[in-house]
């Protein structure tokens, strides 16, 4: 065996699916074995691998013991000359494996290799090539000096930003997202250090390769997409803590005592520094909008009150307490109204702001009618203040959004103008998926992946993309990976990386369309809304219904049990539902497993029970399950239960 590919997965099913499609394409011209190690995912990843990729070796862990441990499990089972550690949120080109193996074969001093990586917008990822994070290198990176002087050989060592990203170089540290290792080198230096749970293991392994006398290489002759999936939230305080603590482990392991102490001190300072910044940002981020709103509303009263006094009464008619106490109370009601209406959530929805002001005004008027007459100053000023707030608050948000200020981004009401690149039938399938998602989109047409193929159902070919995008004002391209090569997708993304356009990829036979808009964001996913049943509010509501009804039946058991033959089974069913092991309503058992359905506890009854007169084959069962998940509501559950009360004593099938 020439190559063993190992992918560690944790709750990124749709990214994994896309990754495996690309890996299988890249495996056609060389001997490859593929391992997926699942760290106790709960999103149906295991069923996906079993059903759609039966030739892949799946290791199912019952606990999440970390990235290093999972990789080591698979490495011990490999038989390849080379080991590739690959992230599930990646897409490789069709010739990636043959190119990297060819390079390693002719470069005997190469212990490890990394490749050129781009994000979901086609932008180069600087972590494709890295230097050893010595204390000074880490200092320059942590405090932003490397960003100021990226071309400096002294300050730019962390990402080796002074090296040409389009040329092969000997580097120090490989990226864990794509880490090709020579097996006999691993046999000499040992496996991944399991002290590192999630971060730092790639730095440790890369350094041990160098210490063993081998070289690590950055190889840009092939490019992969790295979406930087859900687990990579680099702005979070938790990431900072986990990552930097991994650096401390590395320093204590490889640096001298004095150097390690200095490095550890630097890292701890960095953690506290970043923590203070993160806390300040969080607090400031939460109070920034309400504070601005309060100031704008108060400014409105400063302008309105004198005008109203001059118009209706005389100057200084209202006492000082009105501006100093009463107006701030009004403002508090309005701010609370906006808060509970969802007006401070991101991105901003001005309609929710207006709705919050409306409910705040209702609350003020209700309170106004109940308080002592001495504190009733003017309903008219309340209404004038409401009018001013409704005018100024949405307006200022629109202005700040135009200025592209953080935390003031408006919820987009703009329709996505989408073109689909791929063969007609597959493009049509993707079009149907988009129609069933919640996104606002306009499909401008299909683009052929073959030059010169301009039949009536295509608006052009991929070679004409620049003109097609400009003429049709397209802001998103979706590639059908079943009919267009990963290499062509990546090349197109690189060619268009300077244009403000989003990219998505639709794997074959999947209901997921995956993409990413920024190096700093996790991958974006369009899905047919089959996950309605797995939304947090629906999970809570379904569980509440299970508890309520099962408890009611348990209380009434001495009476209701006489309506059932199998009284013991009825009680057993009710108790297992009450304790949360099962649900009253679940998917139809025995149907062909549909890997795109969310996980659901087995039920006593199921939506198939609504059709007793119809013989349900496997296809119909799957369709009913899909429909139940997609259009889930408590009323559906109540209907299923009420019409099948006689089946509550049935045996539950997992």
């Amino acid at each position: 065996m020439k190559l063993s590919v190992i992918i560690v997965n944790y709750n990124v099913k749709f990214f994994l699916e896309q990754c495996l499609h690309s890996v299988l394409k890249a495996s056609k011209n060389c001997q490859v074995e593929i391992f997926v190690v699942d760290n106790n995912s709960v999103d149906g990843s295991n069923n996906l691998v079993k059903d759609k990729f039966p030739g892949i070796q799946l290791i199912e862990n019952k606990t999440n013991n970390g990235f290093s441990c999972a990789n080591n499990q698979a490495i011990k089972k490999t038989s390849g000359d080379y080991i590739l550690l690959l992230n599930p949120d990646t897409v490789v080109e069709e010739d990636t494996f043959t190119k990297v193996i060819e390079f390693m074969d002719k470069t005997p001093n190469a212990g490890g290799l990394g490749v050129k990586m781009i994000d979901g917008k086609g932008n180069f990822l600087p972590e494709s090539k890295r230097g050893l994070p010595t204390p000074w290198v880490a200092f320059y990176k942590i405090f932003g000096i490397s960003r100021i002087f990226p071309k400096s050989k002294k300050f730019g060592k962390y990402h080796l930003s002074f090296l040409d990203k389009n040329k092969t170089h000997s580097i120090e540290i490989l990226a864990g997202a794509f880490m090709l290792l020579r097996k006999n080198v691993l046999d000499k230096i040992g496996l991944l250090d399991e002290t590192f749970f999630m971060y730092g293991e790639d730095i440790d392994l890369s350094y041990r390769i160098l210490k063993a006398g081998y070289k690590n290489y950055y190889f840009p002759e092939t490019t992969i997409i790295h979406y930087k999936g859900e687990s990579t939230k680099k702005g979070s305080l938790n990431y900072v803590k986990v990552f930097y603590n991994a650096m401390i482990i590395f320093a204590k392991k490889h640096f001298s005592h004095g150097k390690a102490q200095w490095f550890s001190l630097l890292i701890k300072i960095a953690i506290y520094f970043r923590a203070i910044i993160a806390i300040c940002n969080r607090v400031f981020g939460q109070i920034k909008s309400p504070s601005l709103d309060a100031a704008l509303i108060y400014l409105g009263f400063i302008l309105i009150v004198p005008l109203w006094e001059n118009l209706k009464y005389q100057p200084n008619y209202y006492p000082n307490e009105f501006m100093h106490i009463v107006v701030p109370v009004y403002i508090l009601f309005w701010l609370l109204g906006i808060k509970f209406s969802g007006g401070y959530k991101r991105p901003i929805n001005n309609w929710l702001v207006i709705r919050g002001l409306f409910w705040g005004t209702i609350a003020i008027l209700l309170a106004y009618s109940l308080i002592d007459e001495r504190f009733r100053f003017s309903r008219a000023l309340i209404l004038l203040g409401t009018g001013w707030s409704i005018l100024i608050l949405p307006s200022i948000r629109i202005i700040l959004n135009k200025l592209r200020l953080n935390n003031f981004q408006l919820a987009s009401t703009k329709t996505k103008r989408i073109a689909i690149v791929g063969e007609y039938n597959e493009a049509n399938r993707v079009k149907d998926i988009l129609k069933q998602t919640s996104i606002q989109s306009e499909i401008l047409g299909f683009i052929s992946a073959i030059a010169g193929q301009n039949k009536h159902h295509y608006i052009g070919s991929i070679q004409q993309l620049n003109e097609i995008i400009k003429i049709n004002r397209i802001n998103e391209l979706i590639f059908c990976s079943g009919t267009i090569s990963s290499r062509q997708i990546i090349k197109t993304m690189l060619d268009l990386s300077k244009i403000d356009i989003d990219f998505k990829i639709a794997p074959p036979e999947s209901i997921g369309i995956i993409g990413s808009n920024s190096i700093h964001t996790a991958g974006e996913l369009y899905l047919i809304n089959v996950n309605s049943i797995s939304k947090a509010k629906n999970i809570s509501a379904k569980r509440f219904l299970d508890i309520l009804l099962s408890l009611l039946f348990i209380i009434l058991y001495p009476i209701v049990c006489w309506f059932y033959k199998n009284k013991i089974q009825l009680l057993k069913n009710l108790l297992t539902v009450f304790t949360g092991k099962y649900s009253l309503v679940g998917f139809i058992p025995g149907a062909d497993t549909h890997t795109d359905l969310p996980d659901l506890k087995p039920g006593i009854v199921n939506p198939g029970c609504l059709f007793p007169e119809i013989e349900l084959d496997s296809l119909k069962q799957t369709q009913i399950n899909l429909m139940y998940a997609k259009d889930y509501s408590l009323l559906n559950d109540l209907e299923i239960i009420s019409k099948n009360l006689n089946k509550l004593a049935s045996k539950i099938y997992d």
Side-chain angles (χ1 to χ4, degrees):
M1 188 66 65
K2 199 68 178 175
L3 177 66
S4 301
V5 180
I6 300 170
I7 302 167
V8 176
N9 176 72
Y10 180 65
N11 289 327
V12 285
K13 177 174 72 170
F14 290 99
F15 286 95
L16 176 65
E17 179 182 11
Q18 180 170 265
C19 177
L20 289 175
H21 278 298
S22 72
V23 166
L24 288 174
K25 286 183 183 179
S27 304
K28 287 183 178 178
N29 296 320
C30 51
Q31 290 181 313
V32 179
E33 59 179 358
I34 305 166
F35 295 84
V36 170
V37 187
D38 186 82
N39 269 342
N40 198 30
S41 294
V42 293
D43 65 344
S45 293
N46 291 332
N47 287 337
L48 167 81
V49 176
K50 291 173 186 175
D51 293 347
K52 289 193 175 182
F53 306 97
I56 288 172
Q57 300 183 56
L58 175 65
I59 299 173
E60 299 180 69
N61 289 331
K62 299 305 179 186
T63 56
N64 183 359
N65 293 320
F67 183 78
S68 297
C69 182
N71 273 302
N72 287 344
Q73 281 180 272
I75 290 172
K76 292 170 185 175
K77 296 176 179 289
T78 59
S79 57
D81 297 333
Y82 300 105
I83 308 292
L84 174 61
L85 309 184
L86 186 67
N87 268 27
D89 56 344
T90 56
V91 176
V92 300
E93 294 180 322
E94 284 75 9
D95 58 358
T96 292
F97 294 166
T98 53
K99 281 185 173 180
V100 296
I101 289 171
E102 183 183 351
F103 178 84
M104 294 291 280
D105 281 346
K106 68 181 183 184
T107 315
N109 69 340
L113 177 142
V115 297
K116 183 178 182 180
M117 299 190 293
I118 61 172
D119 68 2
K121 288 276 282 184
N123 300 312
F124 174 73
L125 290 174
E127 57 263 39
S128 300
K129 47 185 175 64
R130 290 185 292 171
L132 186 68
T134 60
W136 281 113
V137 170
F139 178 85
Y140 300 144
K141 169 69 169 62
I142 290 166
F143 293 98
I145 301 172
S146 59
R147 187 178 298 177
I148 300 170
F149 304 104
K151 299 301 179 185
S152 167
K153 290 187 178 180
K154 180 178 182 180
F155 300 125
K157 283 186 177 179
Y158 190 86
H159 283 135
L160 302 175
S161 46
F162 52 86
L163 296 179
D164 189 338
K165 65 183 179 183
N166 296 314
K167 291 183 180 179
T168 300
H169 299 284
S170 172
I171 60 172
E172 291 171 322
I173 304 301
L174 303 168
F178 184 105
M179 201 172 188
L180 184 68
L181 306 163
R182 197 181 294 274
K183 180 67 185 315
N184 58 19
V185 173
L186 270 183
D187 292 337
K188 292 178 184 177
I189 67 172
L191 302 181
L192 281 76
D193 187 340
E194 296 181 12
T195 310
F196 299 91
F197 181 82
M198 188 171 177
Y199 301 111
E201 68 292 317
D202 49 356
I203 299 174
D204 173 70
L205 192 58
S206 299
Y207 188 52
R208 284 193 279 136
I209 291 171
L210 297 178
K211 287 174 70 176
Y214 294 91
K215 287 187 175 182
N216 293 319
Y217 284 91
Y218 165 70
F219 181 70
E221 301 302 316
T222 186
T223 303
I224 72 166
I225 303 171
H226 180 207
Y227 286 115
K228 303 170 77 68
E230 296 298 332
S231 61
T232 308
K233 291 179 168 58
K234 295 201 170 184
S236 71
L237 184 58
N238 183 59
Y239 166 80
V240 171
K241 186 177 178 182
V242 173
F243 179 76
Y244 285 157
N245 278 332
M247 294 300 94
I248 292 174
I249 296 171
F250 175 80
K252 288 179 177 177
K253 180 176 179 180
H254 293 292
F255 296 160
S256 64
H257 180 69
K259 201 173 182 181
Q261 278 190 322
W262 151 237
F263 188 88
S264 298
L265 177 63
L266 172 67
I267 293 298
K268 286 173 183 175
I269 291 170
I271 291 174
Y272 289 120
F273 176 71
R274 292 288 293 270
I276 291 168
I277 291 175
I279 292 167
C280 290
N281 281 338
R282 190 172 300 169
V283 172
F284 181 66
Q286 289 177 347
I287 68 170
K288 181 164 52 177
S289 291
S291 298
L292 178 62
D293 289 346
L296 289 169
I297 297 172
Y298 197 82
L299 174 64
F301 274 94
I302 291 174
L303 299 172
I304 292 168
V305 171
L307 292 173
W308 183 250
E309 286 176 330
N310 290 329
L311 181 65
K312 295 290 289 183
Y313 307 106
Q314 70 267 356
N316 301 316
Y317 174 79
Y318 293 105
N320 290 334
E321 289 79 11
F322 179 72
M323 290 298 295
H324 295 158
I325 299 173
V326 177
V327 171
V329 171
Y330 291 168
I331 291 172
L332 181 61
F333 273 94
W334 280 317
L335 296 184
L336 289 172
I338 297 172
K339 170 71 175 175
F340 290 115
S341 183
Y344 289 124
K345 290 181 179 177
R346 301 288 180 268
I348 295 166
N349 185 330
N350 268 335
W351 161 244
L352 297 179
V353 174
I354 294 170
R355 188 176 71 179
L357 290 169
F358 172 78
W359 287 116
T361 301
I362 296 295
I364 292 170
L365 291 172
L366 285 172
Y368 185 90
S369 65
L370 297 172
I371 61 175
D372 192 279
E373 279 192 25
R374 289 175 299 167
F375 303 105
R376 299 183 193 176
F377 290 97
S378 173
R379 285 192 182 90
L381 282 177
I382 295 171
L383 296 176
L384 286 170
T386 301
W388 164 263
S389 302
I390 288 173
L391 176 67
I392 195 66
L393 298 192
S395 299
I396 204 71
R397 281 161 167 77
I398 292 169
I399 293 168
L400 294 174
N401 178 65
K402 291 289 184 185
L403 294 174
R404 299 183 181 276
L405 294 183
N406 288 338
N407 294 322
F408 289 101
Q409 183 182 0
L410 292 178
S412 177
T413 55
K414 196 175 175 184
T415 300
K416 288 180 180 283
R417 296 175 63 83
I418 296 174
I420 303 172
V421 185
E423 183 270 330
Y424 178 72
N425 289 335
E426 181 65 5
N428 236 344
R429 185 187 72 83
V430 173
K431 182 180 178 181
D432 289 339
I433 290 175
L434 287 172
K435 287 179 180 176
Q436 298 178 66
T437 64
S438 57
I439 67 162
Q440 240 182 314
S441 63
E442 179 185 357
I443 311 299
L444 276 302
F446 303 155
I447 298 171
S448 170
I450 302 170
Q453 190 179 52
N454 294 322
K455 295 180 181 177
H456 67 278
H457 40 247
Y458 294 113
I459 57 175
S461 67
I462 199 167
Q463 280 71 22
Q464 302 167 297
L465 263 180
N466 273 307
E467 293 84 358
I468 293 170
I469 290 167
K470 288 176 185 175
I471 292 170
N472 295 280
R473 292 179 289 115
I474 291 166
N475 50 37
E476 182 161 298
L477 284 177
I478 297 179
F479 298 100
C480 304
S481 66
T483 58
I484 179 172
S485 69
S486 301
R487 182 176 178 79
Q488 195 168 16
I489 292 171
I490 292 170
K491 181 182 181 302
T492 304
M493 290 171 64
L494 286 168
D495 291 342
L496 299 176
S497 61
K498 302 300 180 187
I499 298 176
D500 185 19
I501 188 168
D502 296 332
F503 303 104
K504 300 286 184 294
I505 301 177
E509 301 175 3
S510 174
I511 63 168
I513 300 173
I514 298 170
S516 183
N517 293 334
S518 164
I519 179 176
H520 302 293
T521 59
E524 186 181 5
L525 178 65
Y526 295 163
L527 277 179
I528 294 178
N529 192 26
V530 299
N531 289 323
S532 170
I533 200 169
S534 59
K535 289 180 179 176
K537 64 177 183 179
N538 286 337
I539 292 172
S540 300
K542 187 173 176 60
R543 180 68 189 130
F544 176 75
L545 184 68
D546 280 344
I547 293 172
L548 182 67
L549 292 182
S550 60
L551 182 60
L552 180 64
F553 272 89
I554 290 169
I555 293 170
L556 297 175
Y557 180 78
I559 299 170
V560 298
C561 71
W562 298 106
F563 295 93
Y564 294 88
K565 288 183 179 179
N566 197 338
K567 296 176 176 56
I568 301 299
Q569 185 66 47
L570 173 66
L571 182 60
K572 188 187 295 184
N573 287 353
L574 294 173
L575 289 172
T576 53
V577 170
F578 183 75
T579 56
K581 186 177 180 181
Y582 297 110
S583 178
L584 284 169
V585 183
F587 290 132
I588 302 173
D592 283 350
T593 305
H594 196 289
T595 57
D596 297 322
L597 283 173
D599 283 345
L600 193 64
K601 290 173 183 173
I604 302 175
V605 292
N606 60 72
C609 297
L610 293 175
F611 310 97
E613 71 285 355
I614 301 174
E615 186 177 341
L616 300 177
D617 58 22
S618 179
L619 178 61
K620 287 191 180 75
Q621 290 177 343
T622 300
Q623 288 173 338
I624 291 170
N625 280 344
L626 271 169
M627 198 162 49
Y628 174 71
K630 180 181 175 183
D631 302 317
Y632 177 76
S633 75
L634 282 184
L635 291 176
N636 290 344
D637 272 7
L638 287 170
E639 181 187 5
I640 294 167
I641 295 165
S642 64
K643 291 184 177 179
N644 294 279
L645 290 172
N646 61 324
K647 295 181 179 177
L648 291 183
S650 304
K651 184 173 173 56
I652 303 175
Y653 294 94
D654 291 284

